[in-house]
Amino acid sequence: MSTKLLMPGHYWQDLAVGDRFQTLKRTVTEADLVNFISATGMLEAIFIDAHYEGGAIAGRPVPGALTCALIEGMQFQTLLQGTGLAMLEMSVRAIGPICVGDTIDGVIEITGIRPTSKAGRAVVKSKVEIFNQHRALAMVYEVARLLKGRE
């Protein structure tokens, strides 16, 4: 009896400009913040002091890089699993804060597909919008990736 791989990624031939995908929702936890700033060294007072009073953001903000990384992780588990070969370029714009306790999700829109000279590969560009639980836009980034195609 054969076993099918659960949720393999999309080959570039399965994508079209204009395709849109939504990630699952995920609540950002205190553990996410602590683990991320510990691993990266982003030990800014606003992230390590739960009672920091010098900031302009209410709540316990998290680094924008963490917000982006969480949505990237959701894409790796689904859209890109087994087909993503490399991230080539990324441009990020933070629009609003994400804090511990916020629930985020991402909407991915395919904006470009260009097959490469090496058969079976393409550069796929996408725009990713990240929203909080109130549907407020928190971040937008554009990314170019190298994806594999069918054999």
Side-chain angles (χ1 to χ4, degrees), residues 80 82-87 120-122 145-149:
L80 304 170
T83 59
L85 298 173
M87 177 186 283
R121 295 180 179 188
R145 305 178 199 277
L146 185 63
L147 265 62
K148 74 178 177 179

Side-chain angles (χ1 to χ4, degrees), residues 4-72:
K4 294 182 181 179
L5 182 63
L6 185 61
M7 293 194 331
H10 291 65
Y11 294 108
W12 70 264
Q13 295 98 329
D14 299 330
L15 301 172
V17 172
D19 282 352
R20 291 171 57 88
F21 304 91
Q22 179 157 357
T23 69
L24 294 172
K25 295 178 187 304
R26 184 191 194 291
T27 300
V28 181
T29 67
E30 179 78 14
D32 294 328
L33 172 61
V34 171
N35 288 329
F36 187 82
I37 64 175
S38 296
T40 62
M42 292 185 181
L43 301 173
E44 176 66 35
I46 195 169
F47 304 136
I48 63 172
D49 182 351
H51 304 286
Y52 184 71
E53 295 180 13
I57 300 170
R60 190 120 160 89
V62 301
L66 171 56
T67 300
C68 184
L70 290 172
I71 296 299
E72 281 291 291

